[in-house]
Amino acid sequence: MMDVFYVSVDVGTGSVRAGLFTSDGCMVCTATCSLEMNQSEPHFYEQSSRNVWESTCSVVKEVVSGVKNREQIRGIGFDATCSLVALDGALSPVTVSLSGEDNWNIVVWMDHRAEVQAARINALSHPVLRNVGGKMSLEMQPPKLMWLKEHVYESCWKKARHFMDLPDFLTFKATGSLSRSMCSLVCKWGYQASEENGCYWDDSFWQSIGLQELVSDAYAAIGTDVKTPGQPCGQGLTVTAAEQLGLVAETAVACSMIDAHAGGLGSIGCNVDGDPFLNSLPLRCRLPVICGTSTCHMAISERSLFVPGVWGPYLSAMVPGFYTSEGGQSAAGKLLDHVIETHPAYGEVRDALQSTSSDVVRCS
């Protein structure tokens, strides 16, 4: 019987990682490539979608290089940070930077340029805010879209035709499909989803924050074809994407997830060897903690639970049919990096590791 493999891609804040896995979940190999970051102003963090995709192709090619028959690779899935990507009508990059350079077309998740806009949204006390614990974070997409309209109108807002989360950009590049992931939309875009009322964009919210263009365009710019994580995207890999990734055209592509939620999905179903009590606990009694640049605590429930200060409930954001609630610390890993890198002995330890070809492990 022919062995079957799957490829997983994780785009973090500072690097992209790919892994090759067997059908029973055993990791065969991994590859990592660092990503470019532009900090044009204090609290501004920008990336390039071209650089992200090229780095993704590089690591995927590396991990599949040992598989002679690429037909054995049956699928690929992507997760990424909840960063905001801007594209024009030709699906090419559009600048989000004050520099005007189209290469910088991603507002990174941890960018804090939209503080004023987030405060204006929160002052409205719109019902949409119930799903984000009562207050929308400046790291979410609506305040960032407001900032783009108000500060880079000519160079970005007028030219852009598509705004999407980075996970959705990856499935677009892979398949040509402009579908969006329920995970990204409910968690970071204010998309409404519940078993009682269905799934929809709330017109009154977008009109109240001055982005009525999105409503009049029937939300074509931010997504109308919404899929749940794991559903197939498009017709699989396009011929072009297959060549770039070193895979076969029409290889299945799964609907994407935000990186923390992908980690939560992988963790919440884990069993502990030799502990039947823990293994017997239902999913709703488990709390994954996902650590990276930030730290996220992810919990799921069978019904919607509204808690002040806790993001959610988000239907089908992590586990289909369950509601996700999320808390955490935005810069926990980055702070740990700072503590380590400012220690007097850091340079000596780093140089010693590099001289032995060992990696310096970063928390972010």
Side-chain angles (χ1 to χ4, degrees), residues 132-184:
V132 289
K135 287 189 175 181
M136 183 165 283
S137 167
L138 75 171
E139 293 176 358
M140 293 179 178
Q141 311 306 14
K144 289 176 178 174
L145 290 172
M146 291 171 66
W147 188 95
L148 294 176
K149 181 179 179 180
E150 294 168 10
H151 291 272
V152 283
Y153 183 85
E154 292 294 331
S155 58
C156 176
W157 190 258
K158 272 181 69 173
K159 296 178 180 179
R161 293 295 177 270
H162 304 278
F163 296 102
M164 62 186 72
D165 249 38
L166 186 53
D168 292 325
F169 170 78
L170 295 170
T171 54
F172 155 67
K173 288 295 289 184
T175 68
S177 170
L178 288 169
S179 63
R180 303 297 203 275
S181 170
M182 176 80 87
C183 179
S184 293

Side-chain angles (χ1 to χ4, degrees), residues 84-85 87 91 141 145 160-165 168-169 171-172 177-182 184-186 189-192 199-203 206 213-215 217-227:
L84 175 63
V85 182
L87 304 174
L91 299 167
Q141 311 306 14
L145 290 172
R161 293 295 177 270
H162 304 278
F163 296 102
M164 62 186 72
D165 249 38
D168 292 325
F169 170 78
T171 54
F172 155 67
S177 170
L178 288 169
S179 63
R180 303 297 203 275
S181 170
M182 176 80 87
S184 293
L185 293 193
V186 294
W189 292 77
Y191 188 67
Q192 299 297 285
C199 303
Y200 61 96
W201 291 110
D202 188 314
D203 293 355
W206 295 99
E213 301 98 320
L214 301 178
V215 180
D217 193 32
Y219 300 104
I222 58 175
T224 56
D225 178 12
V226 183
K227 298 182 180 297

Side-chain angles (χ1 to χ4, degrees), residues 72 98 147 214 222 296 348:
Q72 292 176 257
L98 291 172
W147 188 95
L214 301 178
I222 58 175
C296 299
E348 180 182 347

